Amino acid sequence: MKRIATLLFLTCFFVQSKAQDTKPFGPVPSARQLQWHQMEFYIFTHFGPNTFTDLEWGKGTEPEDMFNPTALDCRQWCRVAKAAGAKGIIITAKHHDGFCLWPSKYSTHTVAQSKWRNGKGDVLKELSSACKEYNLKLGIYLSPWDRNHPKYGTDEYNEVFVNMMKEVVSRYGPLFEFWWDGANGEGPNGKKQIYDWHRFEQTMRTIAPNTPVFSDIGPDIRWVGNESGFAGKTNWNLLDTAGFSRGAGGPSTDTLNSGNENGKNWIPAECDVSIRPGWFYHSNEDDKVKTPEQLFELYLKSVGRGSALLLNVPPDRRGLINEHDSAALAGFRKLREESFKTNLAATARKEIFYDNALFTKQSFADGNLKTFEKNIDYKHTAYWLKFPAGQTVNCVVLYEAIQYGQRVSSFSIELLDGVNVLQKITGTTIGRKRIITFPSQKVTAVRFTVTGSKSPALISEIEAYNIDEKLVEN
Ligand code: FUL
């Protein structure tokens, strides 16, 4: 009788929670941010005069003719990006040296003044049409710091920057991301530019309302606080920005790395990192390209911590992605494909236990990220993947339904053999996606429990894998 009553209660409890409209909790992502969260992995291309001078920060005095790729082919960049499984490309349309890779009306330091293709070339045009051809999304990096523009350091420069944004958005959009770099190396005796950030932001909202904007502190995407490609193991998509400014006046790098648990704004972190030591191409770094295994580790520490991986792959002086880099990228793709090919949850017996009573509704492992379990009393709820015949497991992937806010603050994963707990792993945040790896264990069950949550936890998916042991994160 008691068991029947419990089952009846549970049926009402879950069915009711499904029928009810799920309410958002705290800050939630905007539509443009939600779209961006699906991007996961995309390519950064640092390209410009520095490619030819071997510098990282050009001075802005380089003659335009320095820019002269001998065999530029943006379709090749797209083929490499596509083969790597990347979903888009962000290009440095203008780096700190001020050189514009498109023929801007608002500068005399552009491709139009160079001898490359007799001043008729336009890298952005070529890349935007190649991206369309290969079904990749395009993003644009535009450095506010400009060491060339004569107006830099005066109020009129704000107008120039706004005009350039309008120019690139209208000519080469739609864009999946716009990148404002916070770097400035002018020093105490250099030019001081008071940026009109408010106007910049208003401009972007007006001309490209669906394009999320990156800077150290958003408005839509934040810097992760390092250029090594890793987000914090605790990674909140929330950030407090009041009192902070872009560049040197930003929050501490630790805060950027893990966000603010109770932050007032939804501003997720993006992990920008280069496949080589430098951001621009230098031939003496050809033997320092990261290996597929190193790239996989970066993937675990960025995408696998609820962030995104913006991997820089700088074209060389020919204007092509170098063979060293494309080989590493192909290897990286293969590792991801092999690792995540067989989701063991698909064939597991899936059960939810609420206060030790079995409940068989199982949308937490139905292969559909759109469905989720809502657990009002998460502390008494255990999600099970059962493998009665035994199964080797070393990776669990968790997803939270972030469209309703980020909620989970702690969880545990127990690996069981019969009734024996072989290993208990604890973690903090989940976010869009959390990949946990551990030394291989032969188990008969994996038990997942939310141990802390700001509001009923919404788990959309739990996956389990047996990846190559050497890829397990240390
Ligand atoms: C930094 C810049 O100074 C580097 O040159 C590079 O563009 C990197 C992505 O951002 O702030």
Side-chain angles (χ1 to χ4, degrees):
M1 202 50 207
K2 198 176 163 218
R3 198 174 155 77
I4 293 174
T6 312
L7 279 175
L8 263 176
F9 164 74
L10 285 172
T11 308
C12 295
F13 170 77
F14 280 103
V15 170
Q16 221 190 4
S17 65
K18 193 183 170 197
Q20 228 174 35
D21 257 352
T22 302
K23 299 234 171 23
F25 178 83
V28 292
S30 62
R32 64 178 161 261
Q33 288 172 318
L34 262 184
Q35 266 187 352
W36 171 85
H37 275 289
Q38 313 304 323
M39 292 294 290
E40 286 204 353
F41 161 50
Y42 39 96
I43 302 289
F44 216 177
T45 49
H46 276 66
F47 189 50
N50 296 339
T51 312
F52 303 88
T53 55
D54 246 343
L55 294 175
E56 277 292 312
W57 278 8
K59 297 184 174 46
T61 49
E62 296 78 14
E64 288 81 26
D65 282 347
M66 288 294 309
F67 181 80
N68 197 13
T70 50
L72 180 104
D73 182 4
C74 294
R75 298 175 73 243
Q76 186 257 6
W77 305 3
C78 288
R79 280 194 295 278
V80 173
K82 202 72 189 170
K87 294 191 182 152
I89 300 182
I90 300 183
I91 182 161
T92 54
K94 175 180 81 117
H95 201 249
H96 309 322
D97 53 55
F99 185 79
C100 301
L101 294 181
W102 81 103
S104 176
K105 281 199 292 198
Y106 305 99
S107 168
T108 52
H109 191 52
T110 81
V111 279
Q113 287 78 37
S114 76
K115 66 175 176 224
W116 175 61
R117 295 188 181 163
N118 299 318
K120 300 274 179 285
D122 181 343
V123 183
L124 295 198
K125 188 171 173 201
E126 185 161 333
L127 182 59
S128 77
S129 74
C131 280
K132 284 190 188 106
E133 180 182 341
Y134 287 94
N135 197 20
L136 288 163
K137 295 193 172 166
L138 177 69
I140 285 184
Y141 162 115
L142 202 65
S143 170
W145 180 34
D146 191 316
R147 305 181 86 177
N148 171 273
H149 207 285
K151 300 283 189 222
Y152 189 81
T154 73
D155 192 36
E156 289 163 86
Y157 177 76
N158 288 316
E159 183 78 18
V160 171
F161 196 73
V162 163
N163 283 331
M164 286 184 173
M165 287 197 291
K166 288 183 179 165
E167 199 172 44
V168 295
V169 167
S170 66
R171 286 193 200 167
Y172 313 110
L175 306 174
F176 82 93
E177 183 170 334
F178 207 90
W179 228 85
W180 292 334
D181 195 330
N184 189 311
E186 286 290 325
N189 303 319
K191 290 185 184 173
K192 279 196 189 29
Q193 176 68 41
I194 316 240
Y195 297 112
D196 193 345
W197 291 114
H198 180 71
R199 184 165 170 214
F200 297 171
E201 201 174 316
Q202 288 307 110
T203 302
M204 283 307 298
R205 290 297 187 245
T206 311
I207 62 175
N210 300 324
T211 301
V213 177
F214 166 98
S215 88
D216 297 335
I217 54 168
D220 299 305
I221 305 164
R222 73 173 192 265
W223 184 44
V224 76
N226 62 66
E227 292 181 342
S228 314
F230 66 90
K233 283 187 177 170
T234 296
N235 179 20
W236 292 100
N237 290 304
L238 308 175
L239 190 71
D240 284 323
T241 53
F244 293 112
S245 57
R246 295 180 170 91
S252 74
T253 50
D254 287 347
T255 300
L256 291 169
N257 198 235
S258 54
N260 295 115
E261 179 164 357
N262 296 308
K264 291 202 170 35
N265 314 288
W266 187 276
I267 308 180
E270 177 188 77
C271 297
D272 61 320
V273 58
S274 187
I275 197 167
R276 292 160 169 261
W279 289 101
F280 285 87
Y281 178 82
H282 309 290
S283 57
N284 63 1
E285 293 180 351
D286 279 351
D287 58 352
K288 298 192 178 69
V289 172
K290 291 185 174 63
T291 62
E293 288 74 18
Q294 288 172 317
L295 295 174
F296 189 86
E297 189 186 342
L298 288 182
Y299 178 82
L300 293 182
K301 291 179 171 173
S302 53
V303 176
R305 294 181 181 176
S307 182
L309 175 59
L310 170 55
L311 180 65
N312 180 61
V313 186
D316 61 20
R317 290 184 182 178
R318 295 169 300 173
L320 299 175
I321 290 178
N322 195 267
E323 291 73 359
H324 292 87
D325 308 58
S326 53
L329 285 169
F332 174 38
R333 162 83 178 257
K334 194 154 169 258
L335 292 182
R336 288 182 349 264
E337 262 177 10
E338 285 168 359
S339 301
F340 302 116
K341 193 162 87 194
T342 310
N343 175 11
L344 303 168
T347 47
R349 209 162 78 210
K350 297 168 269 283
E351 292 172 354
I352 289 186
F353 273 81
Y354 176 81
D355 257 349
N356 296 326
L358 170 66
F359 187 75
T360 50
K361 180 175 166 285
Q362 299 138 4
S363 63
F364 71 88
D366 60 356
N368 183 355
L369 282 175
K370 291 200 176 109
T371 58
F372 53 86
E373 301 288 347
K374 179 179 181 183
N375 287 315
I376 308 252
D377 194 353
Y378 62 83
K379 280 193 183 159
H380 298 99
T381 308
Y383 304 73
W384 290 77
L385 299 177
K386 293 193 171 171
F387 306 99
Q391 174 64 55
T392 303
V393 176
N394 56 19
C395 176
V396 170
V397 184
L398 308 164
Y399 298 82
E400 216 179 326
I402 55 168
Q403 62 271 35
Y404 298 101
Q406 189 177 1
R407 303 170 179 219
V408 176
S409 56
S410 63
F411 63 84
S412 72
I413 295 168
E414 286 158 287
L415 308 172
L416 290 101
D417 180 14
V419 292
N420 297 325
V421 177
L422 302 173
Q423 196 184 341
K424 180 173 176 173
I425 298 144
T426 59
T428 53
T429 53
I430 296 177
R432 190 187 101 76
K433 185 169 187 169
R434 183 78 171 92
I435 307 179
I436 307 282
T437 61
F438 41 87
S440 301
Q441 292 275 18
K442 179 118 189 252
V443 304
T444 56
V446 173
R447 176 168 59 196
F448 167 77
T449 317
V450 175
T451 52
S453 192
K454 297 202 255 174
S455 182
L458 308 179
I459 303 301
S460 51
E461 208 62 17
I462 303 176
E463 300 168 348
Y465 296 93
N466 180 18
I467 68 174
D468 187 338
E469 180 80 29
K470 70 174 188 298
L471 298 174
V472 165
E473 199 185 329
N474 295 313

